[in-house]
């Protein structure tokens, strides 16, 4: 190889070496990555049986002394007076159901928009009942109803707030 050829090869090698060694200001930034927000989907472990409240809490919140739990499953519970009769208090967990679809399903009174423990909800008051449905996670809602008196809806609101708080949703 001639002297000029060796010089050309040397210059080419130097050029390749220099091209591979850039300063930190010349390096490309790594592409930004984003992750989609995870849907909040409560599980039976976070909700707890019967909305995560005790019989004593149901009696205290609703003022219905002597109520006892008479129906229990993972998504629904009912309490009735110890003397028997119709259910006094009912809890439902509607999984994968729209809170807004519930608005037209209840006929116990005109639906009113409410907030319970920071969550959006709907409340109905009838002559002998009160019901409150509250958003629970991104895809569910919980529903508490009292069918004894229409004195106020504070009891079922208190029970809904307890369910949300116990499940870490408030």
């Amino acid at each position: 190889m001639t002297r000029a050829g060796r010089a050309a090869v040397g210059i080419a090698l130097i050029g390749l070496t220099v091209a591979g060694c850039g300063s930190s200001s010349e390096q490309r930034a790594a592409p930004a990555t984003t992750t989609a927000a995870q849907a909040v989907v409560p599980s039976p472990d976070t909700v707890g049986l019967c909305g995560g409240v005790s019989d004593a809490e149901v009696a205290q919140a609703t003022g219905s002394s002597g109520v006892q739990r008479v129906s229990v499953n993972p998504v629904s519970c009912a309490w009735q007076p110890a003397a028997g009769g119709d259910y006094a208090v009912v809890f439902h967990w509607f999984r994968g159901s729209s809170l807004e679809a519930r608005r037209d399903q209840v006929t116990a009174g005109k639906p009113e928009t409410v907030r319970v423990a920071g969550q959006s909800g709907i409340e109905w008051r009838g002559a002998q009942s009160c019901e409150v449905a509250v958003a629970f996670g991104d895809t569910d809602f919980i529903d508490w109803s009292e069918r004894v008196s229409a004195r106020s809806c504070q009891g079922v609101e208190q029970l809904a707030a307890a369910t949300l708080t116990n499940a870490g949703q408030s």
Side-chain angles (χ1 to χ4, degrees), residues 106-122:
V106 177
T107 59
K110 180 181 175 193
E112 295 180 31
T113 300
V114 295
R115 290 200 72 74
V116 175
Q119 301 295 324
S120 60
I122 304 167

Side-chain angles (χ1 to χ4, degrees), residues 8-57:
V9 169
I11 292 173
L13 287 174
I14 291 172
L16 287 173
T17 303
V18 171
C21 299
S23 70
S24 62
S25 64
E26 293 174 348
Q27 291 179 359
R28 293 185 199 183
T33 58
T34 58
T35 56
Q38 295 281 342
V40 178
V41 180
S43 75
D45 295 332
T46 60
V47 176
L49 191 61
C50 297
V53 299
S54 68
D55 294 354
E57 288 173 296

Side-chain angles (χ1 to χ4, degrees), residues 9-165:
V9 169
I11 292 173
L13 287 174
I14 291 172
L16 287 173
T17 303
V18 171
C21 299
S23 70
S24 62
S25 64
E26 293 174 348
Q27 291 179 359
R28 293 185 199 183
T33 58
T34 58
T35 56
Q38 295 281 342
V40 178
V41 180
S43 75
D45 295 332
T46 60
V47 176
L49 191 61
C50 297
V53 299
S54 68
D55 294 354
E57 288 173 296
V58 170
Q60 187 276 328
T62 62
S64 302
S65 61
V67 294
Q68 59 188 15
R69 197 177 318 188
V70 294
S71 173
V72 178
N73 71 54
V75 295
S76 181
C77 291
W79 293 259
Q80 70 182 28
D86 290 337
Y87 293 135
V89 180
V90 178
F91 165 78
H92 292 287
W93 173 17
F94 291 87
R95 301 189 72 187
S97 298
S98 163
L99 176 63
E100 281 305 312
R102 184 75 171 153
R103 184 176 295 276
D104 297 325
Q105 294 172 347
V106 177
T107 59
K110 180 181 175 193
E112 295 180 31
T113 300
V114 295
R115 290 200 72 74
V116 175
Q119 301 295 324
S120 60
I122 304 167
E123 187 172 278
W124 300 264
R125 292 178 195 215
Q128 295 294 309
S129 65
C130 182
E131 183 169 346
V132 63
V134 183
F136 193 64
D138 293 337
T139 60
D140 300 353
F141 70 91
I142 59 169
D143 189 286
W144 279 95
S145 60
E146 180 181 10
R147 303 196 194 297
V148 217
S149 70
R151 66 183 194 283
S152 77
C153 288
Q154 290 177 334
V156 290
E157 286 178 10
Q158 183 179 340
L159 292 167
T163 298
L164 294 168
T165 299

